[in-house]
Amino acid sequence: MARSLGATDVVSLAKSLQEMSMNGTEPPPQYFLKENSIKPTDSFLPSDPIPIIDISLLSSSSLSSKEGEDELEKLKSALTSWGCFQAIGHGISSSFLDKVRKVANQFFALPVEEKLKYSREVDGSEGYGNDRILSENQVLDWLYRLSLRLRPVDQRKLQLWPENPNEFREVLDEYGTKVKIIMDVLIKAMAKSLNLEENSFSSQFGERSVMQARFNFYPRCARPDLVLGVKPHSDRSGITVLLQDKEVEGLQVFKNDKWFIVSVIPHAFVVNLGDQMQIMSNGIFKSPMHRVVTNSERMRISVAMFNEPEPDKEIGPVDGLIDEKRPRLYRNVKNYAAFNFECFQKGVVPLESAKI
Ligand code: OGA
Ligand code: NI
C-alpha cells in the first residue's frame, strides 16, 4: 500500500538531508541504489558527442537557407537517436542565465526555516522540498526541489514563489517568457523536420499549455558511489529545457544500454523531449531516460523548464506519422500528468502503458 508521510516526517527528512550533507555523514539505506542497478560511476563520455544545435538557424525565416535545412536535419537525427541535444544560439544572454543561476543559488542558501515558508503541500506538486514518498521501498533522491507552475499565468501560486532574494519572482517570470519562445520555435521546427505542417505538434499543446519550472539543488553527498541525485526517469513533459550548473557535471543520458555523461557547456541549454512528444511523434522521437549523479566535493544546481499539453486535450500520434510501415504505436491519452502519477504508484512504465 502506498503511504504518504505526514508533514512532520517530511520536514524532519528535509532537515536531515542538508545536515547529512554538511556533516559529511553516511546517508541512510533508503538512499542507496538497489543491488541490480547500474552504478553511478559506471558511465561514459560518448565518443560521438551529444549533438550541439544552433537554434538561431531553426526559426521560420532561417529554415529556407541551406544552413537552416542542414540544422533541421541535425535536429531530427538528434531527436531520433538521443532524444536530446545541447542548444546554442538561443538568444538569451549569458549574463541573464547567470542571474537565473544566482537567484537559484541565493534561494537554496537561505536558512532552512526561510525556505520552509514555501514548502510543498503534502499532496501537492508545487513548492519547496524533497520528493513525495509514495512507498516504503522507494529509493530516495539526494536533492531538494522548488517546483513552480508558470503557465497558464492565472494558475500561478504566488504564495509559493520566493520573495527572497527579492529579484527571484521577476527573474523567473522573465526567464519563463524567454524559454517559452524558444520552446515554441523548437516545437515547430520538430514538426517541419518530419515534413509535417509546422503546427502539427503545437496545436496538440494548445493555447493553455502547462509550463513548470523546477529548481534542483543537489547538496554534496558522502556516498556518490551509491546514491543518485535523481533516479533514472524520463520526463512526462512534451519538451524540457535544462540549464545545467555552470561548472559541476551530473546529468547522464541512457542510450544503447549505457549511461553517457552530458558535458557542461556553460551557456547552452540541454533540451530533451518528454514522453508526450514520443507519443505525438508515434515513437519516432525519443523521450530519453536520464539520471543525475551526486558529488562528494561540490554541490550542484540546475533549473529545468517543462512544457506539456493542456491537461484536458487529448493527445496522440500525428496522422501523418502513421502508415502501414509504421502503425500507430500509442493510443490517445488525456491528462498525462495524472496518468504518469498513477503509473508511478502502480510501479508501471507510463510509455509502456500508453502503447496499443
Ligand atoms: C529533472 C532532471 C536534471 C538535472 O528535473 O527532471 O532530470 O540535471 N534534472 O538536474
Ligand atoms: Ni528529468
Side-chain angles (χ1 to χ4, degrees):
M1 233 331 251
R3 182 183 80 103
S4 301
L5 290 188
T8 47
D9 297 326
V10 172
V11 171
S12 61
L13 194 68
K15 272 199 178 136
S16 66
L17 199 165
Q18 189 144 7
E19 278 161 17
M20 286 186 286
S21 170
M22 290 198 290
N23 305 334
T25 343
E26 171 103 3
Q30 293 100 294
Y31 287 92
F32 292 173
L33 276 173
K34 296 246 164 30
E35 287 284 318
N36 53 359
S37 342
I38 306 180
K39 295 284 174 288
T41 42
D42 201 356
S43 54
F44 306 83
L45 261 176
S47 53
D48 207 2
I50 293 177
I52 299 176
I53 294 189
D54 181 348
I55 60 179
S56 69
L57 298 171
L58 298 178
S59 61
S60 304
S61 53
S62 317
L63 277 183
S64 44
S65 69
K66 171 82 175 80
E67 270 183 312
E69 273 175 28
D70 291 350
E71 215 61 13
L72 201 60
E73 200 51 43
K74 249 169 94 180
L75 177 75
K76 178 177 159 188
S77 148
L79 296 177
T80 49
S81 57
W82 286 95
C84 67
F85 59 91
Q86 303 249 24
I88 58 167
H90 48 63
I92 303 185
S93 71
S94 306
S95 59
F96 186 72
L97 294 180
D98 289 342
K99 203 166 180 183
V100 173
R101 291 180 169 122
K102 186 172 139 209
V103 296
N105 262 290
Q106 286 173 326
F107 172 75
F108 287 119
L110 292 173
V112 176
E113 297 69 37
E114 178 68 19
K115 287 182 281 193
L116 290 178
K117 285 188 192 162
Y118 307 101
S119 284
R120 177 168 64 69
E121 309 103 320
V122 177
D123 289 318
S125 59
E126 283 183 78
Y128 171 78
N130 301 102
D131 272 359
R132 281 168 83 166
I133 298 177
L134 299 161
S135 80
E136 272 162 55
N137 54 15
Q138 181 176 331
V139 177
L140 300 184
D141 291 335
W142 191 262
L143 91 160
Y144 293 95
R145 287 193 156 127
L146 172 66
S147 299
L148 299 168
R149 183 176 287 219
L150 276 105
R151 297 171 70 92
V153 174
D154 55 19
Q155 291 179 5
R156 290 184 180 182
K157 290 189 180 146
L158 279 184
Q159 71 277 16
L160 295 175
W161 288 45
E163 284 181 293
N164 191 354
N166 61 28
E167 312 173 281
F168 190 98
R169 291 180 173 189
E170 196 188 317
V171 171
L172 178 56
D173 179 57
E174 188 177 342
Y175 186 54
T177 305
K178 290 182 190 308
V179 171
K180 179 69 168 54
I181 292 169
I182 293 172
M183 287 169 158
D184 289 346
V185 168
L186 285 173
I187 292 166
K188 290 199 166 119
M190 286 173 200
K192 284 191 194 157
S193 79
L194 296 172
N195 296 319
L196 299 169
E197 195 276 313
E198 70 169 15
N199 290 326
S200 303
F201 296 129
S202 60
S203 62
Q204 296 208 43
F205 278 77
E207 287 298 313
R208 285 170 62 80
S209 68
V210 175
M211 186 166 176
Q212 214 110 17
R214 195 189 266 170
F215 295 81
N216 299 305
F217 168 45
Y218 306 93
R220 287 183 294 146
C221 176
R223 294 305 301 269
D225 57 327
L226 282 179
V227 176
L228 285 173
V230 182
K231 61 177 106 33
H233 67 284
S234 62
D235 292 345
R236 70 154 202 242
S237 60
I239 178 172
T240 305
V241 169
L242 179 80
L243 181 64
Q244 284 214 80
D245 194 284
K246 211 170 155 178
E247 292 170 0
V248 185
E249 276 172 356
L251 177 63
Q252 302 187 340
V253 176
F254 198 61
K255 182 173 177 259
N256 300 339
D257 295 326
K258 285 199 181 107
W259 285 104
F260 290 102
I261 297 164
V262 182
S263 313
V264 170
I265 304 179
H267 295 109
F269 289 122
V270 178
V271 177
N272 69 266
L273 296 185
D275 291 358
Q276 298 187 70
M277 271 302 280
Q278 179 163 330
I279 293 174
M280 288 187 257
S281 69
N282 200 25
I284 295 175
F285 288 157
K286 299 285 171 297
S287 167
M289 281 277 265
H290 51 285
R291 67 179 185 181
V292 180
V293 299
T294 50
N295 191 308
S296 59
E297 265 143 41
R298 304 193 62 183
M299 60 166 223
R300 176 176 184 271
I301 284 179
S302 69
V303 184
M305 300 289 244
F306 304 93
N307 195 206
E308 65 182 326
E310 282 173 27
D312 298 339
K313 252 179 131 63
E314 195 160 78
I315 62 142
V318 171
D319 283 340
L321 301 177
I322 302 171
D323 56 30
E324 288 104 66
K325 278 210 229 105
R326 180 174 272 280
R328 178 190 256 270
L329 265 182
Y330 299 102
R331 53 195 166 81
N332 288 350
V333 283
K334 240 184 179 176
N335 199 350
Y336 196 82
F339 175 74
N340 186 65
F341 185 65
E342 280 162 30
C343 289
F344 184 67
Q345 280 180 310
K346 286 190 244 162
V348 296
V349 179
L351 270 178
E352 289 300 316
S353 308
K355 273 197 180 142
I356 281 179

